[in-house]
Amino acid sequence: MMDINKPVGALTVQELLDILQPVISNQNPIHPEKTENVKHLVYGLKGLAELLHCSIATANRIKQEGCLDKAISQVGRKIVIDADLALKLMKSSWKAYLRAKR
């Protein structure tokens, strides 16, 4: 039997494992939950340019046109873009552009 008044710092590794073993064996293994709502974010004009496979100048022009306003959050110089929404908006604006050209 172990002395209950023994300080934790004075325990050997085996004594500590003996104390923690019932707690460890009762716990379920930790599995990260896979959620569908995880946003894929890109940062800055460089991130937008990489997402759209274009130059930084073109990414800036697309941002200035306003077609991605719903996907972009900007505070000062910090730009955060919801990549999935930006691609969806680009697809819909491209379809509208093609329809208008007919």
Side-chain angles (χ1 to χ4, degrees):
M1 186 77 188
M2 189 182 311
D3 180 18
I4 286 195
N5 294 323
K6 189 173 191 177
V8 174
L11 293 175
T12 65
V13 173
Q14 186 59 48
E15 289 173 331
L16 184 60
L17 285 175
D18 291 340
I19 292 169
L20 294 178
Q21 188 61 39
V23 175
I24 293 171
S25 64
N26 289 337
Q27 289 184 351
N28 293 330
I30 299 174
H31 296 291
E33 293 182 18
K34 295 179 181 177
T35 59
E36 297 293 325
N37 297 334
V38 175
K39 286 188 176 183
H40 176 226
L41 302 175
V42 293
Y43 301 93
L45 288 174
K46 184 177 180 183
L48 181 60
E50 290 172 0
L51 176 69
L52 300 177
H53 301 287
C54 64
S55 68
I56 293 175
T58 301
N60 188 39
R61 189 176 71 242
I62 291 169
K63 178 187 166 296
Q64 295 299 323
E65 286 173 359
C67 65
L68 298 180
D69 283 347
K70 292 179 183 176
I72 296 175
S73 298
Q74 182 170 359
V75 177
R77 293 180 55 189
K78 303 284 184 190
I79 302 171
V80 181
I81 301 133
D82 180 346
D84 299 326
L85 182 57
L87 291 173
K88 183 179 174 184
L89 291 171
M90 281 298 294
K91 185 176 179 180
S92 65
S93 67
W94 180 249
K95 285 180 181 179
Y97 171 77
L98 290 177
R99 271 188 249 122
K101 238 182 162 191
R102 291 183 194 174

